[in-house]
Amino acid sequence: MNIRILAISGSSRRESLNQKLLDVAAHGARDAGAEVTPLRLADLQLPLYDQDLEAERGLSDGAKALQALVAEHDALLIATPEYNGGYTALLKNAIDWVSRPREDGSPGVALLAGKVAALLSASPGQLGGLRSQTGMRTVLDKLGMLVIPQAFALSFAHEAFDAEGQLKDKSAERIVSGVGVALYRTASRLG
Ligand SMILES: Cc1cc2nc3c(=O)[nH]c(=O)nc-3n(C[C@H](O)[C@H](O)[C@H](O)COP(=O)(O)O)c2cc1C
């Protein structure tokens, strides 16, 4: 069965450490046989979610495109940076838009429920953004997603990558790619 994974980073910063970590895991998933679609949230037109805005103008083109992308994929691979002990507004805003009723009236939450997700995080700090993963796991759990236990928090991430974006620590690289592989295998078993 063809497994499609949507790879999302909660940071759209040009030199994002979370994007680099996500790329390593995505590589692992691809090698295992998955089709991986990288998504840069800043490329979508996603205003800050506001219920009045939604009532007056409906879903933005970006929100509709994001819902369609989630619908087309079997699993989410998410890198969640840590801002002040939690996940970023960019990532949560995207999830909030996905969860809203679709243009045809069907529930957006149904796009997420029952799907598999894996979490990664990277931070220059000692905990590697682990607190952000904890918060994000709670959100995804509430939405009915199955978050696999395989995860990785990369501490001192500003020193962890070489010029080609590879992890200098090869054992860390194996674990991170393994998160992508585990996501692929779990989605395959559930599919
Ligand atoms: C507003 C803000 C708050 C931050 N808070 C934390 C934090 O609580 N814990 C942490 O480990 N790093 C924190 N950082 C540092 C980020 O982990 C760091 O900027 C990281 O590189 C962001 O991810 P990115 O490289 O993928 O953009 C914070 C950064 C910003 C801008």
Side-chain angles (χ1 to χ4, degrees):
M1 184 191 163
N2 191 28
I3 295 296
R4 302 192 70 197
I5 295 176
L6 189 60
I8 305 173
S9 168
S11 167
S12 290
R13 197 169 71 82
R14 277 188 297 277
E15 288 300 316
S16 167
L17 300 166
N18 283 274
Q19 184 63 56
K20 288 180 187 174
L21 192 65
L22 187 66
D23 291 344
V24 174
H27 198 277
R30 268 196 204 100
D31 280 353
E35 194 183 313
V36 182
T37 309
L39 172 63
R40 193 169 173 273
L41 288 174
D43 291 340
L44 295 174
Q45 185 222 331
L46 286 176
L48 192 59
Y49 181 78
D50 178 301
Q51 229 172 329
D52 287 337
L53 177 74
E54 184 190 19
E56 285 156 21
R57 297 200 213 148
L59 298 169
S60 67
D61 288 346
K64 287 183 216 160
L66 183 57
Q67 287 182 326
L69 274 168
V70 174
E72 287 161 11
H73 289 78
D74 306 292
L76 303 185
L77 179 60
I78 299 176
T80 176
E82 182 170 309
Y83 281 3
N84 298 316
Y87 39 71
T88 59
L90 180 74
L91 182 55
K92 182 59 161 50
N93 188 49
I95 292 171
D96 288 344
W97 277 114
V98 172
S99 73
R100 300 306 298 155
R102 302 188 73 185
E103 239 184 338
D104 64 5
S106 63
V109 283
L111 299 173
L112 299 162
K115 279 189 183 163
V116 198
L119 291 175
L120 304 162
S121 59
S123 153
Q126 273 189 335
L127 293 182
L130 192 59
R131 285 169 293 215
S132 171
Q133 284 192 37
T134 306
M136 187 44 57
R137 189 174 279 268
T138 303
V139 171
L140 300 181
D141 185 56
K142 192 271 166 193
L143 289 165
M145 295 204 80
L146 308 168
V147 185
I148 63 170
Q150 291 87 352
F152 193 78
L154 181 69
S155 44
F156 309 116
H158 58 304
E159 298 167 345
F161 295 95
D162 66 20
E164 279 74 49
Q166 303 296 311
L167 280 165
K168 293 178 197 164
D169 178 346
K170 292 302 152 197
S171 68
E173 178 134 345
R174 275 193 294 279
I175 298 170
V176 177
S177 327
V179 173
V181 176
L183 182 63
Y184 166 74
R185 289 194 181 142
T186 309
S188 305
R189 284 193 193 119
L190 293 175

